[in-house]
Amino acid sequence: MSLNIPISQKPLSNQTLASGIDVNDVTHFLLELDALKRVNRRSYVTHTTRRENSAEHSWHLAMACWSIAEMFELDVNHEKLLKMALVHDLGEIDAGDTFLFASSRSDAHIEERAGIARLQAERGNGIANLAEIWEEQETGSSKETQLLRVVDRLLPFLLNLNTEGKTWVESDVTRSQVAAALAFIEHSFPVIHDWLTENITYAVQQGWLIDS
């Protein structure tokens, strides 16, 4: 039995409004965004020998935030949350990814902010508040921002836990470094912090984290 699904005959765009838009500009910006796929992170993709890229992480971050928000019935604006997750790493197109435990970590936002400003001004960008959304996830204190930060720390931890601590081992990461990086989650999301604390101990027992 086949389903007859009617297809709308109305065009998606208003021809009058769209007449001043150059599709070459639109596709130019889409390719600028595509460059995030070329930025490799330090975490390894499970069941592979390769590292994830920042575009993959952004997708994973958005999906994880969405799922957790729904599962825990959190009082957050889903549209705002997902938009922040999607722009979260865009500054890395110009700045590259900075390892969480790198000494230069505290200065990473400077180059990333400059990269966001460039993208905001790029021809073909249809997101008028792209820089504003990025700034909110970077410096804001909303419920959406808090959840984003929790999940952004949870995901690389989860990948390490399921790749025998590969990134931790390669970089001689210690228990205290990881615990300090995750400490804020105790206030933001205690149940997740409890899980992380339990698994930090497990990672030390497995020899994936240095016990110091």
Side-chain angles (χ1 to χ4, degrees), residues 39-46 48-54 56-57 89 92 96-105 155-157 159-160 163 165-173:
V39 179
N40 287 323
R41 291 168 52 85
R42 297 292 290 272
S43 299
Y44 286 85
V45 178
T46 56
T48 74
T49 58
R50 72 173 181 87
R51 291 179 171 141
E52 69 171 347
N53 64 55
S54 288
E56 292 170 321
H57 173 66
D89 283 322
E92 295 181 2
D97 176 64
T98 303
F99 186 43
L100 178 60
F101 304 110
S103 59
S104 59
R105 177 75 181 187
L155 294 182
F157 184 95
L159 293 184
N160 262 296
T163 55
K166 192 167 177 59
T167 302
W168 292 332
V169 171
E170 289 178 348
S171 303
D172 295 325
V173 177

Side-chain angles (χ1 to χ4, degrees), residues 13 17-34 119 122-127:
S13 65
L17 293 176
S19 60
I21 298 174
D22 188 338
V23 177
N24 286 316
D25 289 342
V26 175
T27 55
H28 164 80
F29 184 69
L30 299 184
L31 285 175
E32 289 294 322
L33 297 178
D34 186 71
L119 284 173
E122 281 288 342
R123 61 187 175 91
N125 172 23
I127 308 170

Side-chain angles (χ1 to χ4, degrees), residues 1-17:
M1 178 179 178
S2 62
L3 296 176
N4 294 318
I5 302 175
I7 299 175
S8 174
Q9 299 301 309
K10 294 182 179 180
L12 288 172
S13 65
N14 183 302
Q15 191 61 41
T16 302
L17 293 176

Side-chain angles (χ1 to χ4, degrees), residues 52-113:
E52 69 171 347
N53 64 55
S54 288
E56 292 170 321
H57 173 66
S58 295
W59 163 81
H60 200 191
L61 180 63
M63 288 299 303
C65 283
W66 185 7
S67 180
I68 289 174
E70 294 276 9
M71 177 66 71
F72 288 90
E73 299 181 348
L74 302 180
D75 181 22
V76 294
N77 182 315
H78 285 68
E79 180 179 355
K80 178 180 179 181
L81 176 66
L82 295 177
K83 284 182 176 180
M84 288 198 301
L86 290 172
V87 305
H88 173 69
D89 283 322
L90 285 182
E92 295 181 2
I93 291 174
D94 290 0
D97 176 64
T98 303
F99 186 43
L100 178 60
F101 304 110
S103 59
S104 59
R105 177 75 181 187
S106 61
D107 297 326
H109 67 282
I110 298 174
E111 288 188 47
E112 290 184 17
R113 184 173 282 109

